[in-house]
Amino acid sequence: MNPQSIDTFFVELLKSALFSNHRFGLVLEGDDNWIKQQCSALYPIFSQNVVFQLGGNQIDESKKSVRYNQGHFLLGQECRILICDLRSGFDANAFTAASGTVLGGGIVLIIKKTDTFKGSIAKKWLNDAFSKLNVISQNSPLPSLSVSEQASQKSFEEQHNAIDKIIRVADGHRKRPLIMTADRGRGKSSALGIAAAKLIIEKQRHIIVTAPSIAAVQPVFEHAKRELVNVVEKKTSLQYGQATIEFVAPDDLLTRLPNCDCLFVDEAAAIPIPMLQKIALHYNRCVFSSTIHGYEGCGRGFSLKFQAWLKTVRPNGNTVHIRQPIRWADNDSFEKWLFDTFLLNAESEPYAEPLSKTTFCRISQQQLIEQPHILKSCFALLVSAHYQTTPNDLLLLLSDEAVHVYAAFTNNQCVGCILAVEEGELDDGILSDIQNGSRRPKGHLVPVLLSNHLGLSEAAQQRSLRIMRIAVHPDLHSIGIGSEMLSKLLGLNEYEYYSSSFGATEELIRFWHNNEFVPIKLGSHKDQASGTYSVVMVHGQHGWIDDAQQYFRDALCYGVSSTWSEIDTCLVRALLGTLAPLSSSSIPYSLLKRYAGGGANFDSVAAILDKWWQAETSLITKVEDLFIRRVVQRKAWSCCAREFGLTGKKQTEKMFREQLGKLLKSLN
């Protein structure tokens, strides 16, 4: 193949991209020597363009280069050429994130060996996808070049409208939050940054921006800086005179509740809904911004659940959705390819038929690729149920033979999906290494935890199934489909026990416990993405499960006032509600009644109250939140006073005595 012909092809492709203001994908496929020759001819053409690189050894022409799995480090920046060297590895999350940095008129140059995607079902899926781009392959003729239509004039009308609505949140009536949604590349972050800058130029204000990570809001800060003169940039804030745009992490925000003139919640879909609800109730001027179909994952759970709730508590709130892309023209062919390949726009069809009997079965990986409508249906359900569903999850369920997909169908429509993974059957040598801390085998999350943290080698040697995700059609929630699927899965009896590990919320704890799963381990650190503590729950009939439950009881009763002293009272109730009551000596209720009536002092009955709730676990469903905070979580009177809006210890203890008296009276 003549290198000059490739030069000409590439130049014409760039011209077509600029003419249409679209992005194009170009695949360079062959052995290493051939690829080196072609790149030597192509790279000089890049000199007039900003070049980023994902994977491979950095070339002189690239302005920024990151490892193949670090594409998220490029977010918020812009380039005209993105080189993706897949010979060093492939990570779908990184690839899709980095692709979002390419401007219209740009090229994504994908370098791969001929056999890069040969083997697994997932690789076949990817190979078929990459073949749909412009492919220059060793020993093959050049592909025909399709000419695109010229792009219409860019329109920023929707973005300007969004900026105006953001400003109105700060300047207008209180308790009128704004929800701003968009697909990736629509200027959502720039709208937040420009609006923040306009607000602090107009008036000395304090604006807080919160998001799952500070990296997520860097584009917001970058766009704000472009609007501000002589702005002082610090690690987590921008200072403009006496005004500030400051990043505060979600958990820190809810712990400190700092004052501000307006709060921006960016990438809200990746923040747990209970946290969003607390934010919305405390802050009267809020903008909630979220990517709906994004390269790092999808936010359908946010749009389906949180927006519906917010409408009930803040009926005068507003919404704005930005449809017009600003980095490229409408109908960008590369965006369509990305969305189709990684199912970023997967959504469930509305369910309108009367619900009939459901069938439940396992779907093989071969079936998923041969019947892509089933794959899309299952993935859409996973997206709607879980805020962290990403492109890598798609490849996982197509590539890992240990991962099983189960689906429920009614009227030929997929109404439920379970994603599970086989674990366990670890031998003595591996177990010894795990317990000595010298080895952690890939996968086997629950067996490793049981062996390492609880010393339960027997459990790690048994064959088990961990349920990673369970999803039900959004139109069919709360009618028992999830429990029905779980019951049918457990009825297969192929495994010695079943498990699940997830971010602990009241709703999820109750769901799994109602389906006869018991908690055995609560994580000691919050998950950075979800802001929740992970919990492991298991189902089975083994003696070690009783031992694990006893460990969980001891750990929870001890840690609820230390490690987990900040968790919500509703979650405390849910977790403690899974414990069986203890047989104990009688509680001296007469002393409690005297205290409730105004006698003695709290210290004289504190130990009795502590013994009471631990012995009679059903009590936790009857006590008030103040009891949980003061007795169970052992918060100081001053902390309780702040939380419940009381003036100090005297008023708080008075309320506590009154509530305790009512409780004792109701229990006779």
Side-chain angles (χ1 to χ4, degrees):
M1 185 182 292
N2 186 343
Q4 181 61 38
S5 65
I6 292 181
D7 291 357
T8 304
F9 180 90
F10 190 81
V11 169
E12 291 301 316
L13 189 67
L14 268 174
K15 285 181 180 177
S16 180
L18 287 166
F19 184 70
S20 62
N21 196 31
H22 285 171
R23 300 168 297 165
F24 284 89
L26 175 64
V27 179
L28 204 58
E29 179 181 76
D31 62 41
D32 288 343
N33 287 333
W34 181 84
I35 288 174
K36 185 177 181 181
Q37 291 174 6
Q38 312 318 314
C39 288
S40 296
L42 292 177
Y43 289 162
I45 304 173
F46 298 167
S47 58
Q48 301 303 314
N49 298 283
V50 176
V51 179
F52 289 172
Q53 186 174 343
L54 179 71
N57 297 320
Q58 184 171 5
I59 64 170
D60 293 339
E61 287 80 4
S62 64
K63 181 180 178 182
K64 293 181 182 295
S65 178
V66 297
R67 285 174 50 81
Y68 76 91
N69 58 353
Q70 295 180 335
H72 58 284
F73 286 132
L74 299 176
L75 284 173
Q77 303 166 75
E78 296 174 346
C79 68
R80 188 72 67 183
I81 307 289
L82 173 67
I83 301 171
C84 300
D85 193 337
L86 307 189
R87 294 173 297 178
S88 57
F90 180 75
D91 182 276
N93 291 358
F95 176 78
T96 52
S99 298
T101 67
V102 182
L103 291 167
I107 300 293
V108 179
L109 176 61
I110 298 156
I111 301 172
K112 63 189 275 293
K113 294 182 180 180
T114 306
D115 61 351
T116 296
F117 294 120
K118 292 286 178 66
S120 69
I121 297 292
K123 288 183 177 180
K124 184 180 186 307
W125 177 272
L126 289 172
N127 200 52
D128 290 346
F130 281 111
S131 69
K132 296 173 184 175
L133 298 174
N134 297 283
V135 181
I136 298 179
S137 186
Q138 187 175 5
N139 301 321
S140 297
L142 286 170
S144 58
L145 183 63
S146 58
V147 180
S148 300
E149 295 181 3
Q150 186 170 14
S152 57
Q153 189 67 29
K154 266 191 180 182
S155 173
F156 296 95
E157 181 183 346
E158 288 187 354
Q159 192 188 41
H160 292 322
N161 178 48
I163 292 170
D164 290 342
K165 288 192 172 185
I166 294 169
I167 291 173
R168 204 174 305 149
V169 172
D171 289 340
H173 294 288
R174 297 163 68 250
K175 297 185 178 181
R176 294 190 177 180
L178 174 68
I179 288 183
M180 177 171 63
T181 56
D183 290 352
R184 180 63 65 196
R186 267 60 183 173
K188 176 178 60 64
S189 295
S190 59
L192 287 173
I194 293 168
K198 287 179 177 292
L199 284 169
I200 65 173
I201 290 172
E202 172 197 308
K203 186 179 179 181
Q204 299 293 315
R205 306 183 206 245
H206 180 202
I207 295 174
I208 291 179
V209 184
T210 191
S213 68
I214 191 168
V217 300
Q218 283 307 310
V220 177
F221 279 56
E222 289 295 327
H223 284 284
K225 282 193 298 183
R226 294 175 191 175
E227 304 291 318
L228 301 170
V229 180
N230 298 324
V231 65
V232 178
E233 184 178 3
K234 298 182 180 178
K235 187 175 181 180
T236 59
S237 67
L238 297 177
Q239 194 80 32
Y240 183 74
Q242 299 302 309
T244 307
I245 304 172
E246 176 191 13
F247 170 79
V248 179
D251 54 349
D252 187 29
L253 180 77
L254 289 174
T255 299
R256 294 192 294 113
L257 296 175
N259 292 324
C260 64
D261 296 297
C262 195
L263 173 67
F264 294 173
V265 184
D266 199 14
E267 296 304 342
I271 298 175
I273 287 178
M275 296 180 76
L276 294 176
Q277 291 171 334
K278 288 184 178 179
I279 290 170
L281 291 174
H282 181 81
Y283 289 96
N284 293 320
R285 299 184 185 276
C286 288
V287 177
F288 296 93
S289 171
S290 183
T291 305
I292 298 301
H293 300 130
Y295 300 143
E296 304 82 55
C298 304
R300 295 294 297 152
F302 166 82
S303 59
L304 291 168
K305 300 170 187 175
F306 177 68
Q307 288 193 53
W309 174 86
L310 190 63
K311 188 67 178 175
T312 62
V313 298
R314 296 287 186 265
N316 294 319
N318 293 298
T319 61
V320 60
H321 181 70
I322 306 176
R323 294 176 180 82
Q324 298 168 339
I326 63 166
R327 287 186 177 172
W328 47 79
D330 280 327
N331 303 314
D332 179 82
S333 58
F334 193 77
E335 179 173 58
K336 184 180 185 306
W337 177 86
L338 277 174
F339 277 32
D340 290 344
T341 301
F342 300 102
L343 305 187
L344 298 176
N345 55 353
E347 292 192 26
S348 299
E349 292 291 329
Y351 191 88
E353 299 290 331
L355 190 64
S356 60
K357 184 178 180 180
T358 60
T359 58
F360 180 77
C361 60
R362 181 180 170 186
I363 310 293
S364 70
Q365 292 170 333
Q366 190 66 36
Q367 280 179 278
L368 289 172
I369 199 168
E370 289 176 352
Q371 299 175 278
H373 66 282
I374 294 180
L375 174 61
K376 292 175 183 177
S377 295
C378 289
F379 202 71
L381 293 179
L382 294 170
V383 165
S384 67
H386 201 277
Y387 59 88
Q388 284 183 311
T389 304
T390 67
N392 276 345
D393 291 317
L394 173 67
L395 299 189
L396 176 69
L397 66 89
L398 289 176
S399 63
D400 193 335
E401 293 183 358
V403 174
H404 296 180
V405 179
Y406 300 86
F409 297 88
T410 181
N411 296 324
N412 295 318
Q413 186 171 353
C414 184
V415 296
C417 175
I418 290 178
L419 204 61
V421 60
E422 286 189 350
E423 295 185 333
E425 295 187 302
L426 303 179
D427 61 39
D428 291 339
I430 293 176
L431 287 175
S432 177
D433 290 344
I434 291 171
Q435 292 172 339
N436 292 331
S438 61
R439 187 175 178 183
R440 185 183 178 91
K442 186 178 179 181
H444 303 284
L445 184 151
V446 171
V448 167
L449 181 145
L450 292 172
S451 173
N452 191 23
H453 291 268
L454 306 186
L456 297 171
S457 298
E458 177 189 354
Q461 292 170 327
Q462 293 175 338
R463 185 166 175 257
S464 65
L465 187 73
R466 175 166 58 89
I467 299 158
M468 297 190 291
R469 305 274 173 88
I470 182 167
V472 174
H473 194 289
D475 296 340
L476 301 173
H477 284 182
S478 303
I479 61 174
I481 290 178
S483 294
E484 181 184 352
M485 286 196 301
L486 202 50
S487 176
K488 289 179 177 178
L489 180 64
L490 300 179
L492 297 177
N493 292 320
E494 294 180 2
Y495 301 93
E496 294 180 81
Y497 70 93
Y498 296 81
S499 68
S500 186
S501 176
F502 52 90
T505 65
E506 177 190 15
E507 180 183 15
L508 289 176
I509 293 291
R510 296 195 191 285
F511 169 80
W512 288 98
H513 191 241
N514 287 341
N515 285 283
E516 301 181 344
F517 279 68
V518 294
I520 57 170
K521 183 75 168 68
L522 185 64
S524 55
H525 300 285
K526 283 184 180 180
D527 177 74
Q528 285 190 339
S530 68
T532 60
Y533 293 95
S534 64
V535 63
V536 174
M537 298 183 72
V538 299
H539 171 90
Q541 301 293 327
H542 300 284
W544 64 261
I545 292 181
D546 296 333
D547 295 338
Q549 280 188 274
Q550 184 58 52
Y551 166 86
F552 178 76
R553 171 189 283 277
D554 295 341
L556 184 63
C557 292
Y558 173 82
V560 75
S561 60
S562 53
T563 305
W564 306 299
S565 63
E566 300 300 326
I567 63 176
D568 292 340
T569 54
C570 60
L571 182 54
V572 173
R573 284 192 177 87
L575 289 167
L576 294 175
T578 66
L579 305 180
L582 292 176
S583 56
S584 63
S585 55
S586 60
I587 302 296
Y589 294 106
S590 58
L591 291 178
L592 297 181
K593 288 179 180 178
R594 287 176 202 158
Y595 169 73
N601 59 37
F602 180 79
D603 291 335
S604 66
V605 295
I608 299 171
L609 292 168
D610 191 52
K611 179 182 178 183
W612 186 24
W613 73 261
Q614 291 193 45
E616 301 179 24
T617 50
S618 62
L619 182 69
I620 210 70
T621 64
K622 302 179 178 69
V623 300
E624 301 285 348
D625 286 355
L626 180 55
F627 184 100
I628 291 176
R629 289 301 199 209
R630 185 66 185 100
V631 178
V632 180
Q633 296 182 289
R634 301 187 186 184
K635 296 284 188 182
W637 288 116
S638 57
C639 292
C640 294
R642 282 197 302 273
E643 180 173 350
F644 296 101
L646 302 170
T647 56
K649 176 186 174 182
K650 185 175 181 180
Q651 187 182 21
T652 308
E653 188 170 12
K654 181 176 182 292
M655 177 184 284
F656 183 87
R657 289 179 192 262
E658 290 172 354
Q659 291 178 351
L660 179 61
K662 290 178 182 177
L663 174 64
L664 290 166
K665 187 175 181 180
S666 69
L667 298 175
N668 296 322

